[in-house]
């Protein structure tokens, strides 16, 4: 049953353009070129464009996927772009050109299995294998290390993006564009995770150790703005988010704030040296150490939660049975090693060495609910 529902969710998640907007052909010299299916012309405009590499990559799940690598001679960083569910590389090429020039980066885009000229059928785990194959290509063929890489995930592309980001602890940054908390949360608007849910980004975002920029439109009627807000709040190192007022799901690139804020993020990532990153890690560790120390110190004090139980007689701290069976402060905790609670109604200490026992309910006397008349020692 879970597999059937998972397959049904996958059908709702993936909408590859049909037919594809481009084809991949091999020239006489062996170089691959992407040709538009409508005009039979290279999508780059020039048959010998040195700034574009068309690649055909093998994945570990047996598919061959198409990737575009756009080179910028002035780039210091590389962006790995995972697109949304209703587009392919032929439609995104113009956007890639703009991002490459405005952000001054190298850009690698790819089509998932079953999209464009890539083989296979789209599924959650195929997209994971797809992005891993692209990252391996960047690392081996172009010498791009994770320290110089920014992962960009749009809509469904946030799934493979966070899958890879959770595995790379030294990434430079992550951009989540109209991202989803999980597939089931988009379809059914639920607030919980089931075993057959797909793209459980809600369980992966906290594993990402680099800065995370979230971009989302406030009027997104496909993926509600609350998805982006939730991911931003759960990120370990959240960057200043961009909430585009009036923005929808597929038009955020048209707003001037989009490219302006994205340029600011990339520039800050370029200026983030290793020393700065290490200092941020040290600050995080110090904060965690302080919070753990504060938690340990608070454990030695009363919880200060008011409840219906009576107060401790040696101090004015309340005795709360919602988090402990006896008061935690040193002023009210008896020093007798045999001290222990005896009655679940009044939660009073009972010890033969320091108090008399009630003969009716076996609890120590002070303010017991039963009508005993013994006096405390």
């Amino acid at each position: 049953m879970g597999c059937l529902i998972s397959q049904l969710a996958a059908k709702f998640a993936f909408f590859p353009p049909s037919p594809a907007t481009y084809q991949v052909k091999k020239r006489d010299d062996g170089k691959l070129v992407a040709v538009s299916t409508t005009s039979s012309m290279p999508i780059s405009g020039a048959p010998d464009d040195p700034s574009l590499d068309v690649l055909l990559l093998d994945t570990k799940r047996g598919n061959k996927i198409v990737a575009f690598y756009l080179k910028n001679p002035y780039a210091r960083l590389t962006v790995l772009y995972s697109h949304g569910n209703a587009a392919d590389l032929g439609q995104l090429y113009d956007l890639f050109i703009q991002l490459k020039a405005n952000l001054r980066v190298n850009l690698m885009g790819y089509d998932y299995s079953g999209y464009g000229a890539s083989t296979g059928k789209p599924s959650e785990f195929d997209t994971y294998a797809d992005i891993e194959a692209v990252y391996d290509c960047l690392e081996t063929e172009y010498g791009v290390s994770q320290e110089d890489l920014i992962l960009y995930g749009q809509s469904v592309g946030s799934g493979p993006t966070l899958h890879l980001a959770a595995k790379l602890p030294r990434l430079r940054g992550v951009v989540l564009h109209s991202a989803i908390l999980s597939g089931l949360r988009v379809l059914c608007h639920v607030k919980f995770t089931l075993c057959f849910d797909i793209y459980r980004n809600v369980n992966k975002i906290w594993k990402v150790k680099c800065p995370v920029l979230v971009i989302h439109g406030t009027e997104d009627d496909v993926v509600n703005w609350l998805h982006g807000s939730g991911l931003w709040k759960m990120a370990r190192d959240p960057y200043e988010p961009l909430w585009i007022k009036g923005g929808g799901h597929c038009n955020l690139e048209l707003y001037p704030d989009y490219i302006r804020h994205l340029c600011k993020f990339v520039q800050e990532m370029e200026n983030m040296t290793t020393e700065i990153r290490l200092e941020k890690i040290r600050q995080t560790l110090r904060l965690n150490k302080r919070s753990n120390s504060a938690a340990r110190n608070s454990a030695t004090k009363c919880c200060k939660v008011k409840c219906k139980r009576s107060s401790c007689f040696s101090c004015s701290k309340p005795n709360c049975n919602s988090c402990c069976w006896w008061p935690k402060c040193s002023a009210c905790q008896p020093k007798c090693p045999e001290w222990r609670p005896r009655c679940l109604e009044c939660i009073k200490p009972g010890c033969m060495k320091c108090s008399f026992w009630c003969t009716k309910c076996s609890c120590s006397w002070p303010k017991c609910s039963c009508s005993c008349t013994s006096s405390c020692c």
Side-chain angles (χ1 to χ4, degrees):
M1 182 65 180
C3 294
L4 292 176
I5 298 178
S6 181
Q7 293 175 5
L8 180 62
K11 289 183 179 180
F12 281 101
F14 303 106
F15 300 97
S18 183
T21 63
Y22 72 96
Q23 295 176 343
V24 174
K25 296 184 178 181
K26 183 180 290 188
R27 299 189 319 190
D28 294 337
D29 59 0
K31 184 177 180 180
L32 297 177
V33 293
V35 178
S36 173
T37 55
T38 57
S39 63
S40 298
M41 294 293 293
I43 63 173
S44 61
D48 295 321
D49 186 0
S51 65
L52 173 64
D53 290 344
V54 179
L55 308 167
L56 201 58
L57 307 176
D58 295 318
T59 74
K60 64 183 180 181
R61 291 176 67 89
N63 297 323
K64 289 184 177 294
I65 62 171
V66 181
F68 289 177
Y69 183 72
L70 287 77
K71 291 170 280 189
N72 188 325
Y74 304 102
R76 295 172 56 188
L77 301 178
T78 300
V79 172
L80 174 49
Y81 193 105
S82 301
H83 61 71
N85 63 2
D88 63 16
L89 293 179
Q91 297 170 319
L92 293 168
Y93 180 74
D94 290 338
L95 174 63
F96 289 170
I97 291 292
Q98 295 178 13
L99 292 178
K100 180 192 77 168
N102 292 326
L103 303 180
R104 201 177 61 179
V105 295
N106 299 316
L107 192 144
M108 174 74 90
Y110 67 101
D111 266 337
Y112 311 121
S113 299
Y115 279 70
S118 299
T119 64
K121 293 183 178 180
S123 71
E124 177 188 8
F125 293 101
D126 278 314
T127 60
Y128 294 160
D130 297 339
I131 195 171
E132 289 174 359
V134 176
Y135 173 70
D136 290 341
C137 175
L138 282 173
E139 193 175 31
T140 57
E141 298 296 328
Y142 296 99
V144 178
S145 63
Q146 57 178 289
E147 290 87 353
D148 298 325
L149 184 63
I150 295 176
L151 299 186
Y152 190 115
Q154 178 188 12
S155 188
V156 167
S158 61
T161 293
L162 287 177
H163 166 78
L164 183 61
K167 295 183 175 183
L168 302 178
R170 300 188 303 277
L171 270 178
R172 184 61 62 116
V174 170
V175 180
L176 299 178
H177 175 160
S178 302
I180 65 175
L181 286 168
S182 74
L184 191 63
R185 285 171 169 82
V186 176
L187 293 176
C188 305
H189 306 287
V190 296
K191 296 183 179 180
F192 50 84
T193 301
L194 297 176
C195 60
F196 51 81
D197 199 356
I198 66 172
Y199 293 136
R200 300 176 215 175
N201 296 336
V202 66
N203 297 336
K204 298 178 182 178
I205 183 65
W206 65 272
K207 299 179 182 179
V208 180
K209 299 179 181 179
C210 62
V212 177
L213 165 63
V214 178
I215 304 174
H216 216 107
T218 59
E219 301 298 326
D220 193 331
D221 57 354
V222 177
V223 179
N224 192 282
W225 168 83
L226 294 175
H227 286 253
S229 176
L231 290 171
W232 179 73
K233 292 177 181 178
M234 288 183 286
R236 296 175 61 174
D237 189 2
Y239 186 82
E240 178 187 357
L242 176 60
W243 311 128
I244 298 182
K245 187 176 181 180
H249 189 68
C250 301
N251 63 350
L252 300 187
E253 298 88 351
L254 303 178
Y255 289 80
D257 287 344
Y258 167 79
I259 195 66
R260 188 182 303 119
H261 200 80
L262 203 52
C263 284
K264 178 185 174 184
F265 175 74
V266 173
Q267 289 174 1
E268 290 193 18
M269 295 304 101
E270 287 180 346
N271 297 330
M272 183 181 294
T273 62
T274 303
E275 293 181 0
I276 295 176
R277 299 187 70 184
L278 289 175
E279 181 58 29
K280 291 184 67 175
I281 294 173
R282 294 190 190 100
Q283 290 178 359
T284 303
L285 293 176
R286 284 196 291 266
L287 290 175
N288 292 338
K289 186 176 180 180
R290 290 174 184 173
S291 61
N292 293 336
S293 177
R296 286 194 296 268
N297 292 336
S298 63
T300 62
K301 301 178 182 179
C302 284
C303 59
K304 298 183 180 180
V305 177
K306 294 183 179 180
C307 58
K308 295 181 180 179
R309 303 295 178 184
S310 57
S311 299
C312 173
F313 296 101
S314 301
C315 67
S316 59
K317 302 293 176 63
N319 179 8
C320 175
N321 67 331
S322 63
C323 61
C324 57
W325 285 110
W326 54 79
K328 290 292 187 179
C329 70
S330 58
C332 55
Q333 182 175 352
K335 297 181 179 180
C336 176
E338 298 184 16
W339 181 88
R340 59 196 179 280
R342 301 297 298 179
C343 177
L344 296 182
E345 292 184 1
C346 54
I347 316 298
K348 295 299 185 299
C351 173
M352 288 298 294
K353 294 183 179 181
C354 60
S355 65
F356 290 99
W357 293 83
C358 171
T359 58
K360 295 185 177 181
C361 68
S362 299
C363 69
S364 59
W365 170 70
K367 293 190 177 179
C368 176
S369 59
C370 62
S371 56
C372 55
T373 57
S374 303
S375 59
C376 185
C377 58

